[in-house]
Amino acid sequence: MNNEIWVFVQLNGQNVEPTSLQLITKARDIAGDRPVVALVAETESMNVEATVKEYGPDKMVILKDDQFHNASDGEIADALDQVVTDLKPNSLLFPATVLGRSVAPRLQAKLKTGLTADCLDIYFDGDDLVQVKPTYGDDIMCEIICPDVRPQMATIRPNTFKAVKAATDTETVNYSFTFHPEANIEVVSETPVINSAANISDAKTVIALGRGANNEKVIAKAEKLAGKLGGMVGVSRPLTDNEGFSHENQIGQSGNTIAPDLLINFGISGAVQYAVGIENAKQIVSINTDAKAPIFDKSDYAFVGDADEFMSALLDQVR
Amino acid sequence: MKIVVCIKQVPNTDTVKIDPKTNNLVRSNVEGIINSFDRNAIEAALELRQQAGGTITLLSMGPDSYITSLRDGLAMGADSAILLSSRKFGGADTLATAYVLSEAIKKIGDVDLILFGRQSVDADTGQVGPIVAEDLQLPQVTFAESLELQDNNQLTGHRLLDNVVQEVKVKLPAVITVRSEMNSPRYETPLNIQKSFEKEITIWSENELAVDPTQIGQAGSPTVVKRIFSPEKAGRQTQMLPNNAKDAVAQLLADLNN
Ligand SMILES: Cc1cc2nc3c(=O)[nH]c(=O)nc-3n(C[C@H](O)[C@H](O)[C@H](O)COP(=O)(O)OP(=O)(O)OC[C@H]3O[C@@H](n4cnc5c(N)ncnc54)[C@H](O)[C@@H]3O)c2cc1C
Ligand SMILES: Cc1cc2nc3c(=O)[nH]c(=O)nc-3n(C[C@H](O)[C@H](O)[C@H](O)COP(=O)(O)OP(=O)(O)OC[C@H]3O[C@@H](n4cnc5c(N)ncnc54)[C@H](O)[C@@H]3O)c2cc1C
């Protein structure tokens, strides 16, 4: 056992998935004298080391094999298991992306250790990696630790931390391992998704609707307002059950993190799982009939009153 | 085809209270329902059974109150249900939960396909499916948004990764976790609800399973909840707008334009 913090570097095609770099920075911030190690699994022709190095890991452990192209979750987990079992890091962080959330638990099962999902913060308390995540209820977070087993594993929510470049002498270790193909599964193809529909994470203005604004009339007005303001309509989780909305429109912990210049919340109470998705918005305006709604504490402007009324007034006055 | 669908019962509300003394959820008075993604998993199983024949067994680990959601799943059209229930299973994290489910699936025997929801809507980890796949040494397709039967022992699924769609072929037996985009779960019909009460729900405890006592429940759970707390309020200065909507909007627009 050593005291190293490892970060799994996810690759999207030829590029490094941004969360991985954010995690290298975060690991450096909390490391103290613990070395930060980037774990890279790539094909022979790829070379993401140069990019990863810019973020200042103390070491890179590189696994190279052409079969990483279109590898299955099980194959990736098997390769990682070999190096982790051998070199025994103290902690191991994954991006909470679809891939991270699929590979990390398979690795967890091999290592028989704990894995905390979708963390919003991490810090060390002695040797314990304290993993912070929201739990039930409007404003409740919990801290999870894995006191007796190593490595301490966590997946961490994308875009929670900023990636910052840092100059360090980075040691590079080419780790030799055996790629074990999984017999009964084949990744046939990978097709890039053309994001033709604009993505709510990138929208400059967001009109967000919650359960207090969940009727056809208000929704239609919101679409119109979004059109006028050049923005997009987003929703709290309950509204994803509506015909017209899906997970793509959802704001919050289990949806999208947004960072618009202007966010207007209509009939949203402000549960912590929603609130974590809007922290990076520049200006927040909230409309709610309940003067005590938690959303107001997270807002720059508050209107205590009816969503429909305020929306109509906005439609009238915005040119 | 022998299909097992793992289902979790979740509170029918988003704002469950936590007992500040014990750190436990206060579950009384909250009605339990099937985790919504698990309804999609059941629907996927029903469609596959229609094409390939076979049986669907629902499997759930939890207290006896979980009978409610198993009964609902039977009313959707599943053939049988097994509840894994014991005090010893309590306090399980994902590793210990998946271990018990895996041992039950081994006991059921000759299972071709194990379906999960993509994640639970309460704890939301999405880890149980992949851990079961690893425990049983099976291939997995997680976050699947489509599933097609190729022949009787092969499936093709699509899954959406961060910015690519993967097409994956698996030979059975396999583990699939299902996204809500895959289908629209059917409603229970009065006839099926009636029939569901004729179907038996089997209950297994650690005595019926070949489980290692150190790997179940709290004892088998490496993670520990250390603390539950209310985060500090985000530091925004909140300006109250006038009570009249028209004036409020006028003031807001004036401010924002500055
Ligand atoms: C693990 C987990 C993950 C979750 N992830 C997310 C997530 O990613 N995103 C998310 O949004 N939620 C998420 N939730 C759910 C979250 O806890 C809340 O339940 C949800 O955000 C509530 O949505 P809401 O504010 O629209 O509804 P409510 O909480 O019901 O609030 C409705 C609000 O509308 C107000 N209102 C009523 N009528 C009017 C009116 N006429 N005009 C103006 N205001 C009115 C009410 O006063 C109230 O404040 C998650 C929950 C869990 C347990
Ligand atoms: C707020 C909160 C946070 C938690 N965070 C973590 C964490 O980070 N790491 C951790 O290890 N544990 C965590 N736990 C414990 C975890 O909730 C339990 O282990 C639970 O039994 C399974 O995890 P899940 O609900 O996340 O299931 P998921 O993995 O999200 O569920 C995926 C699918 O697995 C199946 N499934 C899940 N549970 C059962 C069941 N009991 N019976 C049958 N099928 C099932 C269903 O098909 C479900 O759709 C947390 C608990 C709470 C209350």
Side-chain angles (χ1 to χ4, degrees), chain A residues 118-259:
Chain A
D118 219 12
C119 299
L120 293 174
D121 199 10
I122 45 172
Y123 66 91
F124 276 100
D125 176 11
D127 193 55
D128 287 331
L129 181 71
V130 181
Q131 302 147 359
V132 187
K133 63 186 287 194
T135 179
Y136 302 91
D138 277 349
D139 237 340
I140 313 175
M141 306 283 277
C142 67
E143 295 186 336
I144 296 182
I145 52 173
C146 178
D148 302 323
V149 193
R150 297 290 179 266
Q152 317 180 69
M153 291 178 67
T155 65
I156 300 188
R157 195 175 169 75
N159 303 326
T160 307
F161 306 110
K162 264 209 173 71
V164 180
K165 291 186 181 174
T168 321
D169 284 332
T170 305
E171 180 193 350
T172 303
V173 176
N174 283 305
Y175 186 82
S176 87
F177 73 106
T178 311
F179 191 100
H180 296 125
E182 204 179 346
N184 293 327
I185 183 161
E186 182 195 348
V187 176
V188 182
S189 65
E190 288 196 339
T191 319
V193 188
I194 299 119
N195 261 334
S196 57
N199 191 329
I200 190 144
S201 315
D202 305 326
K204 289 283 167 234
T205 303
V206 174
I207 311 296
L209 304 177
R211 202 132 56 172
N214 188 12
N215 66 65
E216 277 172 35
K217 211 172 60 182
V218 178
I219 295 171
K221 285 182 190 168
E223 301 282 0
K224 206 164 150 194
L225 182 62
K228 269 188 157 178
L229 295 171
M232 287 185 69
V233 175
V235 294
S236 68
R237 191 168 80 174
L239 271 70
T240 56
D241 290 339
N242 289 16
E243 224 23 80
F245 297 120
S246 74
H247 191 252
E248 308 295 305
N249 311 98
Q250 183 188 326
I251 298 163
Q253 180 204 346
S254 49
N256 297 283
T257 302
I258 60 171

Side-chain angles (χ1 to χ4, degrees), chain A residues 108 114-118 133-136 142 144, chain B residues 5-9 25 35 37-38 41 59-62 66 92-95 97 101 115-129 223:
Chain A
Q108 170 202 14
L115 173 63
T116 304
D118 219 12
K133 63 186 287 194
T135 179
Y136 302 91
C142 67
I144 296 182
Chain B
V5 185
C6 292
I7 69 171
K8 182 178 182 186
Q9 181 162 316
L25 301 174
N35 177 41
F37 296 112
D38 302 354
L59 181 62
S60 193
M61 184 185 95
Y66 274 36
D93 68 6
T94 55
L95 189 70
T97 301
L101 293 174
L115 295 171
F116 292 85
R118 61 175 274 182
Q119 62 204 180
S120 72
V121 298
D122 55 354
D124 207 11
T125 70
Q127 290 170 192
V128 172
T223 57

Side-chain angles (χ1 to χ4, degrees), chain B residues 93-200:
Chain B
D93 68 6
T94 55
L95 189 70
T97 301
Y99 171 67
V100 174
L101 293 174
S102 302
E103 289 303 319
I105 292 163
K106 284 185 198 162
K107 182 176 163 92
I108 294 167
D110 299 321
V111 175
D112 298 300
L113 181 62
I114 308 155
L115 295 171
F116 292 85
R118 61 175 274 182
Q119 62 204 180
S120 72
V121 298
D122 55 354
D124 207 11
T125 70
Q127 290 170 192
V128 172
I131 302 172
V132 168
E134 183 61 39
D135 285 349
L136 299 174
Q137 290 294 300
L138 296 178
Q140 72 184 29
V141 183
T142 54
F143 297 87
E145 55 182 12
S146 78
L147 205 56
E148 247 174 70
L149 192 62
Q150 297 302 345
D151 50 60
N152 262 341
N153 75 346
Q154 188 159 302
L155 290 169
T156 300
H158 287 90
R159 67 170 181 161
L160 184 62
L161 296 183
D162 300 297
N163 48 16
V164 294
V165 176
Q166 257 189 357
E167 183 179 320
V168 186
K169 255 192 208 153
V170 274
K171 284 218 181 76
L172 302 182
V175 165
I176 313 284
T177 81
V178 173
R179 290 175 72 120
S180 57
E181 287 81 353
M182 189 184 285
N183 54 41
S184 307
R186 67 194 63 186
Y187 289 104
E188 298 147 16
T189 61
L191 180 65
N192 274 338
I193 292 174
Q194 202 187 334
K195 276 203 219 152
S196 79
F197 283 92
E198 290 154 22
K199 295 173 189 166
E200 199 187 336

Side-chain angles (χ1 to χ4, degrees), chain A residues 265-270 286-291 293 295-296 303-307:
Chain A
N265 296 305
F266 289 94
I268 289 176
S269 60
S286 297
I287 294 88
N288 198 304
T289 43
D290 176 7
I295 192 72
F296 287 137
F303 178 73
V304 180
D306 181 56

